[in-house]
Amino acid sequence: MRLLGLKLFNLASYMYLLVASFFLAGNFTNRSTDDVLVMPAPFAFSIWFLIYLLLLIFVFTSFFANEEMNEVVRKIGLWFPLSMILSGTSVVVGTTPSILFLALSLLTLCVVYTVLQSFPGLPEKYRASFSIYLAWTSIATIVDAFVVLKANKVEELFSIGELGWSVILLTIGGLIAIAFHFYHNDYFFPLVFVWGYGAIFAYQENSLIRFITGAFVIILLFIVLFSFLRKRN
């Protein structure tokens, strides 16, 4: 009964995420018109539809799960629905508080991902949706941080301007994507960064931003492709 209650709460949280994103948010793909240097092209936000679909599959199939799936649901517990509630809330609150809810959603997803990694030999199908969700939330948090700073007319932070912080955070994000692939043998996480960074490259005109995002797109694609081919052989 307790497990069924958790599954129902997952479903309710998922429905809240959908309602918040599609009906309560002013514009869930790009809630701010502020021009920030890490803003990806609008098409990039279509990845949310893939995330919603993957989460729906996970939530729906959990009601007809085998013991392995039930154990996954038990282990991730309330962290999963909490991440969806926080993510949904981030698009309905004002611009400034949105970063708090999005960052907390990112933290809860990190916990979920860590828990999944503790399962020895867990099939990739259980991790894939959370890898994509976590990766895109990571990028969205970076973007939203700059949107919030711009909205509050903050031009410098610790004597570093927007361009400097953009370079720093984009570099850190790209390195994290590489680390996720090698440390967790995760193909989906870096591919989401390829998608996000490619969209930033396509949308921005600043040469340094385009160089960094373009370089990471090439590096990540090469690493993923090389690892995939080596694994097949």
Side-chain angles (χ1 to χ4, degrees):
M1 182 62 70
R2 182 178 179 181
L3 180 60
L4 177 60
L6 182 57
K7 293 177 180 180
L8 289 173
F9 188 48
N10 287 343
L11 178 59
S13 301
Y14 175 77
M15 295 304 298
Y16 170 75
L17 175 62
L18 287 186
V19 171
S21 299
F22 286 102
F23 301 107
L24 301 182
N27 181 356
F28 83 98
T29 58
N30 184 358
R31 293 181 297 107
S32 175
T33 57
D34 289 326
D35 183 22
V36 295
L37 292 174
V38 296
M39 182 66 70
F43 71 80
F45 295 91
S46 63
I47 195 174
W48 276 116
F49 293 104
L50 173 61
I51 293 172
Y52 295 147
L53 176 61
L54 292 173
L55 293 180
L56 174 62
I57 293 173
F58 179 84
V59 171
F60 181 75
T61 56
S62 70
F63 287 96
F64 310 94
N66 54 26
E67 187 54 38
E68 183 181 50
M69 178 68 159
N70 284 333
E71 187 62 20
V72 169
V73 174
R74 287 193 195 95
K75 288 290 186 180
I76 61 178
L78 294 174
W79 293 108
F80 172 46
L82 183 59
S83 71
M84 292 188 287
I85 292 172
L86 290 168
S87 182
T89 304
S90 71
V91 301
V92 298
V93 296
T95 299
T96 300
S98 67
I99 185 61
L100 173 62
F101 289 95
L102 196 56
L104 289 174
S105 177
L106 177 62
L107 288 175
T108 57
L109 284 172
C110 287
V111 174
V112 171
Y113 190 92
T114 302
V115 170
L116 292 177
Q117 287 299 114
S118 67
F119 280 83
L122 184 70
E124 188 65 32
K125 63 181 180 180
Y126 294 124
R127 189 180 66 173
S129 56
F130 293 102
S131 294
I132 296 172
Y133 190 12
L134 173 60
W136 184 251
T137 301
S138 301
I139 295 175
T141 302
I142 294 175
V143 174
D144 199 49
F146 283 97
V147 169
V148 169
L149 290 175
K150 180 81 72 169
N152 287 278
K153 304 186 185 305
V154 178
E155 297 182 357
E156 288 189 354
L157 194 62
F158 304 113
S159 301
I160 302 176
E162 181 186 355
L163 179 59
W165 280 114
S166 298
V167 170
I168 292 171
L169 292 183
L170 287 174
T171 301
I172 292 174
L175 293 175
I176 289 175
I178 294 173
F180 259 71
H181 173 69
F182 285 112
Y183 188 73
H184 298 299
N185 194 31
D186 192 326
Y187 288 83
F188 294 101
F189 191 96
L191 286 176
V192 172
F193 269 77
V194 169
W195 172 263
Y197 277 26
I200 296 173
F201 176 87
Y203 197 59
Q204 297 299 326
E205 297 180 355
N206 183 279
S207 58
L208 184 55
I209 297 298
R210 286 171 60 86
F211 173 78
I212 292 173
T213 52
F216 271 114
V217 166
I218 294 172
I219 292 170
L220 288 169
L221 279 176
F222 175 80
I223 290 174
V224 170
L225 181 60
F226 179 79
S227 297
F228 177 74
L229 292 176
R230 188 177 65 175
K231 185 177 181 180
R232 290 191 63 183
N233 295 330

